[in-house]
Amino acid sequence: MTRYEPVIGLEVHAQIHTASKMFCRCPVVEDTGDLEPNTYVCPVCTAMPGTLPVINRRAVELTIMTGLALNCEILPVSRFARKSYFYPDLPKGYQISQHALPLARDGYLEIETENGTRRVRIDNVHLEEDTGKLFHVGNVSLVDFNRAGVPLIEIVTKPDMRSAEEVRAFAVKLREILIYLGVNSGDMEKGVMRFEASVSVRPVGSDELMPRHEIKNLNSFRALARAVAYEIEQQIRVLEGGGQVTQETMGWDDARGVTYTQRTKEYAHDYRYFPEPDLPPLEVGREWVESLRRQLPELPDARRARFRAEYGLGDFETELLVADRAVADYFEAAVSLGKTSPKTLANWITGDLFRLMKETKRRIDEIPVSPEGLVDLIQRVEEGAVNLNTGREILEEMVATGKEARQIIEEKGLAQISDEAALRGIIEQVLDQHPAQVEQYVGGKTQVAGWLMGQVMKATKGRANPQLVRRLLNEALEARRKGR
Ligand code: ZN
Ligand code: MN
């Protein structure tokens, strides 16, 4: 029986969060879903007659930096082109994009797979503008142009991926790089990154490119991986049944977990690409490229290697910290204070802080706890001013209110009880209240000490220093045993 090999390429659209839109002065505002429609618009991005586009320099720079991060060649001259198609969310009737001469091309990105490191070639990285958005309400359709003209980077790969897992690994890594470059927030729920996958299958050993299905509008890693896996399975089934796969554009029904035909595929000539007459060729000097290369931040792979070597962290916690640049920056800001070990900090950040961020649906740069504030709390725990459990509660309060640890401890009277005399008194009381358990201990069933310890902690509302309680409780119990 023939064995089949999937052949997958990706087109990724990523919004660039510059201050203003691609060709006009309207602000770029992240789509939180509750913006008043058509409020961030002007004559240019709504295509009023007589308006002319002006290129956003920062969008060009971020596209070049993306090209550099993806090991691309930056073309000395690129051109904007008109890509014509009719759709009500496209006010001009065409999208200003790049076609024959993109800003960057011929790069690659390496991904880790179960078969080792694989190189996915990048065909090109080009710059274009986003469209508006349609809303269908009953029998009418409404259009919102807030998003129209937001700068978009499009990254086009060669068909080098061979499984849904590889596609996912590529997408995850690309997202990390874009966040590191400051292109956007990486917030997929807000549509800042969208994927289209071209999928075909061929007999293993063949190097022919078969007719492919292009799956549109995949807006999460999960949808991307599921849709690709589904297509691979379907196409193999068709070929095994003696059928043929034709070139088509597919949609993805996330609820049913299936792709469906939208239309037979359009070809490049359907778009009638031609050079944008309102914009001159874009010249990109070598000095400009080199100055942008110097501005590239340390990229995720390099940072991962450094975190392991410099801080002695394991693969798992390194991964958790580095995946988001803001988190990695936060961690390093805290480490640089030199007051706690990197390992302890990593535990607090990837444990409690991540949980609280998730619960409050906030990013690390949106929570009111500074690296200094977190380190201060950890020190109080390490010095025994509060015990670990109380420390974790304090962090929760810090995230909720923005107050400092010191203030919360004072206001709530959370300071750990480390006064030996006071604790001895409480322990004696607890033992007097539970004569049966004391009797068991004296009779040799020493495990009951753990239960008694719990009672003491309860009596102090969790504020007692646990190490101290353990020692004093043992002393008290031993005294009773001998006292018999
Ligand atoms: Zn505008
Ligand atoms: Mn595009």
Side-chain angles (χ1 to χ4, degrees):
M1 199 156 115
T2 322
R3 285 177 52 239
Y4 293 94
E5 164 185 73
V7 177
I8 311 152
L10 275 184
E11 290 178 16
V12 184
H13 285 97
Q15 287 186 342
I16 313 179
H17 288 177
T18 38
S20 59
K21 288 186 181 179
M22 188 61 230
F23 300 114
C24 65
R25 292 180 167 190
C26 292
V28 170
V29 185
E30 204 168 62
D31 185 2
T32 48
D34 54 3
L35 297 178
E36 191 68 20
N38 298 307
T39 42
Y40 300 99
V41 293
C42 74
V44 177
C45 54
T46 49
M48 293 300 153
T51 56
L52 289 170
V54 177
I55 299 171
N56 181 331
R57 182 187 175 94
R58 189 59 189 154
V60 172
E61 292 186 337
L62 286 166
T63 307
I64 293 172
M65 287 170 82
T66 302
L68 292 172
L70 297 175
N71 308 292
C72 288
E73 167 200 357
I74 306 303
L75 270 65
V77 178
S78 68
R79 271 229 76 136
F80 285 98
R82 289 189 180 180
K83 179 181 183 180
S84 302
Y85 61 96
F86 290 105
Y87 206 64
D89 63 8
L90 191 67
K92 292 192 287 284
Y94 58 85
Q95 178 190 36
I96 302 181
S97 180
Q98 297 186 310
H99 183 56
L101 293 173
L103 270 167
R105 69 180 174 201
D106 294 335
Y108 64 86
L109 178 62
E110 284 180 343
I111 53 171
E112 310 307 322
T113 73
E114 48 184 28
N115 305 317
T117 303
R118 294 244 304 126
R119 184 173 281 200
V120 176
R121 289 170 300 157
I122 306 293
D123 183 87
N124 74 82
V125 177
H126 64 263
L127 181 54
E128 56 187 37
E129 56 180 334
D130 212 341
T131 60
K133 262 178 136 175
L134 287 180
F135 297 88
H136 307 284
V137 185
N139 286 332
V140 296
S141 291
L142 304 170
V143 64
D144 173 14
F145 289 124
N146 281 342
R147 199 180 71 177
V150 166
L152 273 187
I153 296 181
E154 182 171 340
I155 297 140
V156 183
T157 78
K158 299 277 192 191
D160 284 353
M161 286 161 276
R162 297 287 173 267
S163 68
E165 293 69 39
E166 288 187 13
V167 170
R168 190 189 172 94
F170 179 91
V172 167
K173 196 156 185 188
L174 179 62
R175 173 176 175 271
E176 272 177 18
I177 290 174
L178 295 175
I179 296 173
Y180 267 68
L181 294 173
V183 168
N184 63 41
S185 64
D187 197 334
M188 314 268 290
E189 285 178 11
K190 292 179 183 153
V192 305
M193 243 181 125
R194 283 111 64 183
F195 304 99
E196 289 167 28
S198 293
V199 182
S200 62
V201 298
R202 65 186 175 197
V204 171
S206 158
D207 53 10
E208 205 181 336
L209 284 179
M210 310 291 280
R212 60 183 192 269
H213 282 182
E214 197 171 308
I215 320 162
K216 295 274 186 191
N217 293 323
L218 300 167
N219 295 341
S220 69
F221 294 138
R222 191 177 132 80
L224 173 64
R226 285 176 74 209
V228 167
Y230 176 83
E231 269 294 327
I232 292 170
E233 214 175 282
Q234 280 299 308
Q235 292 185 24
I236 291 176
R237 190 170 305 163
V238 168
L239 295 179
E240 280 180 344
Q244 280 193 328
V245 176
T246 54
Q247 191 131 322
E248 281 175 48
T249 299
M250 315 294 285
W252 168 245
D253 183 333
D254 203 53
R256 290 168 55 219
V258 297
T259 58
Y260 57 92
T261 301
Q262 280 187 329
R263 52 183 182 267
T264 51
K265 164 80 184 149
E266 52 296 76
Y267 293 86
H269 60 250
D270 293 333
Y271 292 124
R272 307 187 321 285
Y273 278 106
F274 68 93
E276 167 59 64
D278 291 337
L279 290 170
L282 182 59
E283 289 184 28
V284 179
R286 286 301 96 185
E287 314 77 64
W288 194 18
V289 174
E290 289 318 307
S291 95
L292 292 170
R293 197 190 297 280
R294 285 192 297 274
Q295 289 172 43
L296 285 178
E298 182 184 35
L299 292 170
D301 275 351
R303 201 168 203 182
R304 267 189 271 271
R306 189 167 61 76
F307 270 34
R308 285 190 289 258
E310 200 170 306
Y311 303 128
L313 299 179
D315 286 353
F316 184 64
E317 49 206 341
T318 298
E319 195 57 50
L320 290 176
L321 292 171
V322 173
D324 181 343
R325 182 182 178 180
V327 170
D329 288 347
Y330 186 101
F331 169 76
E332 292 212 274
V335 170
S336 73
L337 298 171
K339 292 176 178 164
T340 45
S341 80
K343 180 83 189 159
T344 306
L345 271 167
N347 288 344
W348 276 88
I349 292 173
T350 62
D352 286 277
L353 204 58
F354 272 20
R355 178 179 55 78
L356 293 166
M357 282 159 58
K358 203 170 169 189
E359 280 171 15
T360 59
K361 291 200 169 66
R362 281 183 289 177
R363 297 196 291 259
I364 204 157
D365 46 3
E366 294 171 329
I367 57 165
V369 180
S370 64
E372 292 78 9
L374 177 65
V375 168
D376 172 63
L377 170 66
I378 297 173
Q379 278 190 295
R380 288 171 193 271
V381 173
E382 289 186 332
E383 288 162 2
V386 292
N387 69 37
L388 180 60
N389 276 333
T390 307
R392 300 173 69 190
E393 282 164 28
I394 293 170
L395 184 62
E396 195 162 337
E397 187 77 12
M398 289 167 76
V399 170
T401 64
K403 289 179 182 170
E404 288 176 19
R406 179 191 50 78
Q407 201 183 347
I408 296 167
I409 292 168
E410 272 171 25
E411 285 175 7
K412 300 205 157 182
L414 295 175
Q416 178 160 275
I417 305 171
S418 295
D419 177 342
E420 289 201 17
L423 284 177
R424 278 208 176 90
I426 295 167
I427 288 169
E428 289 304 326
Q429 259 179 4
V430 168
L431 296 185
D432 289 343
Q433 282 159 9
H434 301 98
Q437 283 77 11
V438 173
E439 199 54 37
Q440 284 177 11
Y441 181 93
V442 170
K445 205 179 161 208
T446 52
Q447 313 88 289
V448 79
W451 184 86
L452 287 164
M453 164 111 187
Q455 299 308 305
V456 176
M457 293 309 287
K458 210 156 127 190
T460 61
K461 298 197 173 65
R463 285 163 49 218
N465 176 333
Q467 286 82 12
L468 195 53
V469 172
R470 192 166 292 124
R471 180 167 66 76
L472 297 178
L473 179 64
N474 277 331
E475 286 175 11
L477 286 166
E478 284 306 310
R480 292 200 181 203
R481 192 215 297 270
K482 286 176 189 139
R484 296 190 79 179

